[in-house]
Amino acid sequence: IGSGALESNALHGATHSETGVEGLRITPEHALKCVATVGVGMDMTRRCLQKIAKAAGRPWDMSKGFDDSAPVSEMMLVDDYVKARNEGVEHPKSMAECLSHGFIDLSVNGDMKQSGNLSEMTLNVPELISLLSSYVELQPGDLIFTGTPEGVNSVKPGDLMVGRIEALPELHVKVRDLAQFAADKKE
């Protein structure tokens, strides 16, 4: 993730799911059958590009779709995630409950910037899958970023971001300078 020309990057700690089956117009009742793996992702935004595009009345997709704009953690099979969430608990949770409740947070250089609970998402995972599949056909391997707690922040080169969701592998991302990023790509 670069800076320099990025006067500010907004960061979003987001849970994401990877679909395991294809589907179009999936009902919420069948949506969880589509989830194969889960992990932690960061949905980055180059606010400087977004601001310019919006002012010009142009699409701002390049402010979201740049190199390394959506880093993700190691993915965990959804069955393993449910087992991890239920380890040592008296009343085991269903997959739907595991994907709908649990802490989600993001720190920058050790300072907590976003903190919340999966239960605070506008749409739960089945509703989100159903909604998305009403617009596009989901395919195995598709990643779905599901939401973020309040607290959009800017980052700069050298910052270390850590995204966490209960019982999932953490995601560590070090922000790189845009010029250095370009030089590294040439090598």
Side-chain angles (χ1 to χ4, degrees):
I1 308 301
S3 189
L6 311 177
E7 45 198 55
S8 72
N9 289 331
L11 59 103
H12 305 277
T15 178
H16 68 267
S17 305
E18 181 179 38
T19 60
V21 297
E22 60 188 58
L24 188 62
R25 292 184 283 288
I26 300 165
T27 64
E29 297 76 31
H30 292 95
L32 291 179
K33 293 178 182 154
C34 299
V35 180
T37 61
V38 292
V40 179
M42 294 182 192
D43 172 15
M44 304 296 292
T45 302
R46 290 178 67 177
R47 291 283 184 219
C48 57
L49 292 180
Q50 183 183 45
K51 189 179 193 180
I52 292 166
K54 281 182 171 183
R58 294 189 178 145
W60 44 275
D61 52 338
M62 290 311 299
S63 68
K64 298 294 284 179
F66 54 94
D67 289 338
D68 295 339
S69 63
V72 296
S73 70
E74 175 185 335
M75 300 298 283
M76 181 182 277
L77 292 171
V78 74
D79 290 341
D80 292 343
Y81 175 63
V82 172
K83 284 178 194 168
R85 288 288 306 273
N86 285 318
E87 194 170 294
V89 299
E90 189 174 326
H91 303 289
K93 295 178 173 149
S94 67
M95 180 181 8
E97 291 170 316
C98 290
L99 293 173
S100 299
H101 301 280
F103 75 79
I104 176 172
D105 62 45
L106 187 131
S107 64
V108 178
N109 301 324
D111 295 327
M112 191 61 60
K113 299 294 184 179
Q114 294 177 295
S115 181
N117 194 293
L118 297 173
S119 63
E120 298 166 347
M121 294 190 310
T122 304
L123 298 174
N124 64 36
V125 172
E127 292 168 335
L128 183 58
I129 289 172
S130 181
L131 178 65
L132 287 173
S133 72
S134 72
Y135 294 105
V136 295
E137 184 174 10
L138 298 176
Q139 297 291 321
D142 284 348
L143 295 178
I144 300 171
F145 284 71
T146 59
T148 180
E150 288 184 21
V152 172
N153 291 275
S154 296
V155 292
K156 61 187 181 318
D159 284 348
L160 176 64
M161 302 180 294
V162 178
R164 300 181 319 144
I165 297 174
E166 191 170 336
L168 288 174
E170 291 182 353
L171 174 59
H172 295 249
V173 176
K174 182 130 184 159
V175 180
R176 295 182 288 169
D177 181 82
L178 187 57
Q180 185 60 50
F181 175 77
D184 290 347
K185 286 284 193 178
K186 287 183 179 180
E187 291 179 4

